[in-house]
Amino acid sequence: MKVDILAFGVHPDDVELGCSGTLIAAVAQGKKVAVIDLTQGELGTRGNAATRKTEAANAAKIMGIHARENLKMADGFFQNDETNVHKVIAAIRKYQPEIVLCNAPEDRHPDHGRSAKLLADAAFLSGLRKIETSFEKAAQKEWRPKYVFHYIQDRYLKPDFVFDISAMMEQKMKAVLAYTTQFNSTDTSEPETYISNPDFIEVIKARALMFGKRIGVQYAEGYITTKMIGVNTFDAFIMHTT
């Protein structure tokens, strides 16, 4: 299945926290959207690989995306090496996205930055025809996404652009809260963590409010790009009221 947008998260719930408002908006606009989690989040203090899998499936239904899969790399220990780059290249060639969304280039969790570099490298290398990959025993053709955008996560990073998610904020938060072991959990049998504290959810909302305020809307998600974006019409700017 060819998609318009392929969003990667190193852990299940990264995509929901970082860019799910954008994905929900894209689906509403008729775009094909898929999500790939690199790891099962098995090192998380709360929950386990099985509960995270169920939560990710529930969140996918809430977002309305067209496909979701997990590459089962080693949480905390995966490397930007040939084996993992090939896995990501095969995924990119399978879905042939025009746009890739992925983790922040630098963040509180070291997996996030390492994932960002892995994805950026793989997105470029995926366009080299002499790198051979296969899907269901069939050779894949080379494919390079037009853009790789990094969503902003825990640490504040100045965005290069922001995406209005005002109409999608409620649905975004439902997708985030689908991870019942991770956020706002009333289960006291496991220790409280940085993200299970209810204040963490308020920070997510506050970040979206802050980015929204910068463009005169209620809520927005921020993105970083290393590639200059060109336009051939001002229609997008003229239609956007602030």
Side-chain angles (χ1 to χ4, degrees), residues 47-61:
N48 52 51
T51 58
R52 299 291 283 272
K53 180 179 180 180
T54 298
E55 291 165 347
N58 291 338
K61 291 178 183 177

Side-chain angles (χ1 to χ4, degrees), residues 48-120:
N48 52 51
T51 58
R52 299 291 283 272
K53 180 179 180 180
T54 298
E55 291 165 347
N58 291 338
K61 291 178 183 177
I62 293 168
M63 291 187 288
I65 59 176
H66 300 87
R68 184 170 202 161
E69 58 183 89
N70 195 301
L71 297 186
K72 297 184 179 180
M73 296 181 190
D75 189 11
F77 295 98
F78 74 93
Q79 296 298 319
N80 184 1
D81 57 21
E82 185 174 354
T83 297
N84 286 333
V85 169
H86 269 86
K87 288 181 180 180
V88 176
I89 289 174
I92 290 173
R93 290 175 174 177
K94 174 182 176 181
Y95 288 103
Q96 299 182 341
E98 303 300 322
I99 295 171
V100 162
L101 306 181
C102 61
N103 289 96
E106 180 272 325
D107 206 38
R108 173 178 175 270
H109 197 307
D111 279 1
H112 295 173
R114 196 160 65 252
S115 167
K117 184 65 167 62
L118 168 61
L119 262 296

Side-chain angles (χ1 to χ4, degrees), residues 167-179:
M168 283 66 192
M169 188 63 183
E170 183 178 351
Q171 195 172 345
K172 170 190 170 80
M173 296 314 300
K174 286 180 180 178
V176 170
L177 294 174
Y179 291 86

